Amino acid sequence: MYRKKNFFIGAALLVLILGLVFKAVRKDSYTKVMEKNTVKELKELEKTLETLGEKTGVDIVKTGDLYKVELEKGTEVGLGETEALRAESSIEGNKEKILYRDFRGEKRMVIELYYYTPIPPTPPKKVYSGKLSILIDDVGMNTQTADIFGKIKKPVSFATIPFLPRSSEATEKLKEYGFQVILHMPMAGSSDSLNSRTEGILMPKMTKEEVYKRFDKAIGDVGEMKGFNNHMGSRFTENAFQMKTLLKYAKNKDMFYIDSKTTSKTKGYSTAKELGVPTYYCSKFLDNSKNVEDIKKEIKAAVKMATDSGKILAIGHYHKNMAVALKSMVDYIENEGVELVYVSEVLE
């Protein structure tokens, strides 16, 4: 009986010992497998980082088991948890930290991802072969035409005649569209009948004080302007004395002058140059015919002139067909390498 009892105790101890041995062997085998997998997966992570570092805009710096990675926001990184490595991720601002621990809980690798938003490259500045300034005369009869021109999202300049029914309203609307507006100052032309019907016109026989008064009154009607050109004016602009009187006064107001060149005998441009008033002149009228196709042909001719000479100023008038023709030609002007600019950008 005693021997039998000892046998069972011995057998139980043997089973226990064998179990412990088996458990130890299994644990040792598991440890070896996990250590092997850990080394393998760390190498795979390193290979993933190497591939990532080959991408444009990715910079990787390794210090020990720490990898610092700078990369563009949205870049696919391909990092995550593995079988043998547990990933602990935390995000703070533009930084993401991934800590990899092995099966024992020991730190094996740290990856810090620093995301940045790239600054878009500045497009190269377009090189133009010439400048074309288009000045639209005779603003003032209505505001509806301003809305038609408002569809042209390019630098276009306008000249407002004072004392017309909608001079100030049309001027303000054009300015709201982003256009440059100058004063279209009435000056004596060749027609006595037309001169007599034009309010606020400058006449050759006026005194200095009368010229000043009418010029100020015109500005008061349309609002402060940085420049002006002549409306009609074939008689007045031929008068060197009166042009000098007017331009000296305009110079005191820091205004520039555009010579509309309504006569080949004009003294406007030359007098302005002599006095040091910023100035330029009209080289071409665009709408002697108000037919859209004819206007487009004149714009093409103006573009060629701008290419040949470097810059020109062309004058059109405030009507629907001029707006329609110009809007249809803005791409052509650009494609021909000519820059559409305000009148203030061609001054001398």
Side-chain angles (χ1 to χ4, degrees):
M1 188 74 179
Y2 180 74
R3 285 182 180 178
K4 190 176 183 179
K5 184 178 180 181
N6 285 343
F7 172 79
F8 284 116
I9 291 172
L13 286 172
L14 180 61
V15 169
L16 179 60
I17 291 168
L18 288 173
L20 291 172
V21 169
F22 177 75
K23 188 175 181 181
V25 169
R26 189 173 66 175
K27 184 176 180 181
D28 183 58
S29 176
Y30 169 79
T31 300
K32 287 179 179 179
V33 169
M34 291 300 289
E35 285 178 348
K36 182 179 178 181
N37 287 344
T38 298
V39 171
K40 177 185 174 184
E41 290 169 9
L42 283 171
K43 286 181 178 179
E44 288 175 355
L45 282 173
E46 288 174 353
K47 192 174 287 187
T48 300
L49 288 169
E50 285 178 16
T51 303
L52 182 62
E54 293 171 359
K55 292 184 178 181
T56 303
V58 178
D59 184 44
I60 300 178
V61 177
K62 181 180 184 296
T63 306
D65 60 2
L66 172 63
Y67 289 81
K68 290 187 176 182
V69 184
E70 287 189 9
L71 68 167
E72 184 178 332
K73 189 178 289 185
T75 302
E76 186 65 43
V77 294
L79 299 170
E81 202 164 89
T82 69
E83 290 184 14
L85 296 168
R86 188 176 77 252
E88 298 174 3
S89 178
S90 61
I91 298 175
E92 184 179 341
N94 66 337
K95 172 187 172 183
E96 180 181 4
K97 181 178 179 180
I98 305 174
L99 169 60
Y100 285 96
R101 295 185 185 276
D102 62 17
F103 66 100
R104 294 190 182 93
E106 295 178 2
K107 181 178 75 173
R108 300 300 296 266
M109 180 185 287
V110 179
I111 302 173
E112 293 180 351
L113 303 170
Y114 296 86
Y115 295 100
Y116 66 87
T117 302
I119 300 173
T122 303
K125 190 173 181 180
K126 186 175 177 66
V127 178
Y128 293 98
S129 58
K131 291 183 178 183
L132 171 61
S133 178
I134 294 180
L135 178 61
I136 304 298
D137 279 352
D138 296 354
V139 174
M141 287 303 295
N142 63 69
T143 57
Q144 292 88 344
T145 305
D147 292 324
I148 302 173
F149 276 103
K151 296 174 183 178
I152 302 170
K153 309 301 181 184
K154 295 289 181 179
V156 181
S157 303
F158 293 81
T160 301
I161 300 174
F163 314 118
L164 293 184
R166 295 289 181 270
S167 295
S168 59
E169 293 94 332
T171 297
E172 287 307 309
K173 181 162 278 194
L174 289 166
K175 287 181 177 179
E176 287 172 7
Y177 280 120
F179 297 126
Q180 187 175 68
V181 188
I182 65 173
L183 170 65
H184 197 32
M185 185 66 205
M187 302 182 196
S190 58
S191 170
D192 290 330
S193 173
L194 192 54
N195 291 340
S196 65
R197 298 197 309 270
T198 303
E199 185 177 351
I201 194 168
L202 299 179
M203 300 298 291
K205 292 184 179 181
M206 283 182 171
T207 65
K208 178 174 66 175
E209 288 72 23
E210 287 175 321
V211 169
Y212 293 171
K213 185 176 179 180
R214 288 209 172 180
F215 193 61
D216 284 340
K217 190 174 180 182
I219 293 172
D221 184 71
V222 298
E224 289 296 322
M225 298 285 185
K226 292 183 178 180
F228 72 106
N229 71 329
N230 51 287
H231 171 53
M232 304 188 301
S234 56
R235 283 187 193 169
F236 194 90
T237 59
E238 287 178 2
N239 189 312
F241 176 80
Q242 287 291 44
M243 284 306 297
K244 188 169 285 190
T245 298
L246 174 61
L247 289 168
K248 279 183 177 179
Y249 192 57
K251 184 177 182 180
N252 291 335
K253 294 177 177 290
D254 293 322
M255 295 178 73
F256 62 80
Y257 170 65
I258 300 297
D259 190 342
S260 301
K261 289 194 77 172
T262 53
T263 170
S264 60
K265 297 177 182 179
T266 177
K267 302 297 189 296
Y269 173 70
S270 59
T271 303
K273 293 279 283 186
E274 178 188 332
L275 295 174
V277 174
T279 186
Y280 204 56
Y281 56 89
C282 173
S283 295
K284 185 173 187 59
F285 286 94
L286 300 173
D287 54 351
N288 291 324
S289 163
K290 288 185 168 55
N291 178 276
V292 171
E293 292 305 315
D294 290 339
I295 297 170
K296 288 164 70 173
K297 288 178 184 176
E298 295 300 328
I299 293 173
K300 283 186 177 181
V303 167
K304 186 177 187 311
M305 291 172 67
T307 302
D308 292 342
S309 62
K311 67 176 181 179
I312 73 156
L313 187 150
I315 288 180
H317 294 83
Y318 187 70
H319 56 89
K320 178 182 177 181
N321 282 6
M322 182 68 231
V324 171
L326 179 55
K327 184 176 185 297
S328 70
M329 292 297 287
V330 291
D331 288 341
Y332 172 83
I333 296 169
E334 180 84 11
N335 292 337
E336 288 297 303
V338 171
E339 184 181 12
L340 200 57
V341 299
Y342 292 123
V343 291
S344 59
E345 295 178 65
V346 295
L347 298 174
E348 296 176 345

